[in-house]
Amino acid sequence: VKKKRGSIVEFYKTRAARPLDQRALSERLFAIGAGVCLAFNSGYINGCCLSGLISESGSVMQAVSAFTGSYTRAGLALADGDASFFGFEASMIGAFIGGSCISALINPRPKPWQLGPTYGPTFIIGSILLAISSTLASTHPEDKSLFYFASAANGLQNGMTSMYSANLIRTSHLTGTSTDIGLIIGQMLRGNFANSFKLGVLVSLAVSFWAGSLTSFYAVSKFRGFALIFNAAFFFLIGIGCVVFVILTNKITVWQAVTGKWHWSRALNALDVTQDALENDGACMGMFDRLDVDGDGFLEADELHLALKTSGMRVSKKGAKALIAMGDTDGDGKISRDEWFKLMRGQSSESFESNA
């Protein structure tokens, strides 16, 4: 087990920061395949909502993945004095932004090409949003509020894929993707093939989005509002898959996979910290004072890195910074006494049992 965990640490030290085109073929295929599936999913959602086939009257239709048109329509509605339509378009934009905001709130410090523990729960939240949208589409197909939840789910998905891929894989709108395709083709025509790898990725995303839209026509024609259930189930399965991946990779519990606290549990094990010490206020803060070598009242990454290395734990300076970031609630790059107390109170006894 120790050897396997060491190899995982080594992976994050030496390979996790590499761009996609410098990774192994299996890694590239996984990342691109996931992006293509999500682009299909987004095109499908957008097609269902934009087709007008959700309702019998065909009068309810709205794009939920790209919002250039919504900004324009909102401006025109405001100029025309149509406050109701302006409010609807503005709300659609706000829902998409809100979904993206949720993805960042759950994963405030993402690392490109690293599948963190928060991705699974975020996808599960997306499945809930789509389930609500599908329920509304099935029971109240003339109610425009169904589009808000679909829009928020798309914003959440696009936020996650953008964070994971450093903005290479954007799955819910094609304006930027189409621009990049044109730029790369122009570069290649002038003999610059540096971004040729990206061209294949971007074209795959565009074709997949189009295929999702095509499929949505047949699905929504037959199932009406129930067609969106497919997306909710798809999101849920991705979320469960991410959680299971983290559990199996790190040999941790479901709760730890969802919260990401196994990183600190390993560090505390290396420091020989017991559960009793965590539950004793004096012992807990005494541990902080021992780690705070310069006595300035803050635990910094260098101090934590030194303590962990001295204890025999293989951890890089970047790894120590990542641990600090988990407890750094105010974003100043270090852990205060109050932040330490709250962080240690969040550690559960099962964290130690799973790493014993």
Side-chain angles (χ1 to χ4, degrees):
V1 174
K2 289 184 178 179
K3 184 177 181 181
K4 183 176 181 180
R5 286 178 180 168
S7 66
I8 294 172
V9 173
E10 188 65 24
F11 166 80
Y12 281 110
K13 288 173 61 178
T14 61
R15 295 169 59 193
R18 292 181 183 177
L20 187 60
D21 58 345
Q22 295 179 18
R23 291 169 173 268
L25 178 61
S26 59
E27 293 178 69
R28 282 184 283 173
L29 291 176
F30 172 80
I32 296 172
V36 166
C37 289
L38 290 172
F40 178 93
N41 183 65
S42 190
Y44 180 95
I45 299 172
N46 198 53
C48 288
C49 295
L50 191 57
S51 66
L53 297 174
I54 287 179
S55 63
E56 292 288 347
S57 65
S59 60
V60 181
M61 58 181 70
Q62 173 67 34
V64 295
S65 69
F67 289 90
T68 303
S70 290
Y71 277 99
T72 301
R73 288 192 294 271
L76 293 174
L78 188 62
D80 194 39
D82 190 345
S84 176
F85 191 66
F86 168 78
F88 171 66
E89 292 292 352
S91 297
M92 288 296 302
I93 295 169
F96 187 88
I97 293 175
S100 181
C101 181
I102 289 173
S103 68
L105 286 172
I106 298 175
N107 189 12
R109 297 177 180 84
K111 293 179 174 58
W113 308 115
Q114 293 188 27
L115 186 63
T118 58
Y119 282 88
T122 308
F123 270 110
I124 292 175
I125 291 174
S127 73
I128 294 173
L129 293 172
L130 285 171
I132 294 173
S133 179
S134 179
T135 301
L136 290 173
S138 304
T139 58
H140 300 84
E142 303 293 336
D143 188 348
K144 292 183 178 181
S145 60
L146 70 94
F147 297 123
Y148 300 148
F149 293 98
S151 175
N154 262 327
L156 183 144
Q157 173 185 302
N158 199 54
M160 285 190 293
T161 54
S162 295
M163 289 188 295
Y164 175 77
S165 66
N167 293 317
L168 172 61
I169 299 175
R170 290 168 291 188
T171 58
S172 71
H173 64 90
L174 296 181
T175 302
T177 300
S178 300
T179 301
D180 291 344
I181 289 174
L183 289 173
I184 295 173
I185 291 176
Q187 292 170 356
M188 293 175 66
L189 290 174
R190 293 298 305 273
N192 179 5
F193 294 89
N195 292 313
S196 57
F197 169 77
K198 292 182 179 180
L199 179 62
V201 176
L202 296 172
V203 170
S204 298
L205 293 174
V207 171
S208 184
F209 187 96
W210 175 83
S213 301
L214 178 67
T215 304
S216 71
F217 174 81
Y218 298 102
V220 76
S221 296
K222 183 173 182 179
F223 301 110
R224 299 291 182 185
F226 289 106
L228 290 173
I229 283 292
F230 164 80
N231 305 95
F234 182 69
F235 262 51
F236 183 78
L237 290 175
I238 291 178
I240 293 299
C242 290
V243 171
V244 171
F245 173 82
V246 171
I247 290 172
L248 295 179
T249 301
N250 297 279
K251 303 297 182 182
I252 57 175
T253 66
V254 174
W255 173 250
Q256 292 168 327
V258 170
T259 61
K261 291 179 179 176
W262 85 88
H263 295 291
W264 261 107
S265 69
R266 290 175 58 198
L268 294 175
N269 280 336
L271 296 171
D272 294 325
V273 178
T274 65
Q275 182 66 22
D276 290 339
L278 287 181
E279 295 175 351
N280 183 289
D281 293 354
C284 179
M285 299 316 296
M287 177 171 48
F288 177 88
D289 293 334
R290 289 192 296 274
L291 294 173
D292 179 21
V293 178
D294 60 10
D296 65 350
F298 294 94
L299 177 61
E300 299 173 350
D302 288 341
E303 293 171 326
L304 179 61
H305 180 245
L306 176 62
L308 292 175
K309 284 196 67 176
T310 303
S311 300
M313 179 176 174
R314 294 179 59 190
V315 60
S316 65
K317 290 185 177 180
K318 288 184 178 180
K321 288 181 179 179
L323 288 169
I324 292 293
M326 291 178 189
D328 176 23
T329 57
D330 60 8
D332 62 357
K334 49 192 176 182
I335 295 178
S336 67
R337 293 179 66 85
D338 288 340
E339 289 171 333
W340 173 263
F341 184 81
K342 293 177 182 177
L343 177 65
M344 293 299 103
R345 282 294 173 266
Q347 300 300 311
S348 63
S349 59
E350 63 180 351
S351 298
F352 291 89
E353 292 171 2
S354 64
N355 288 283

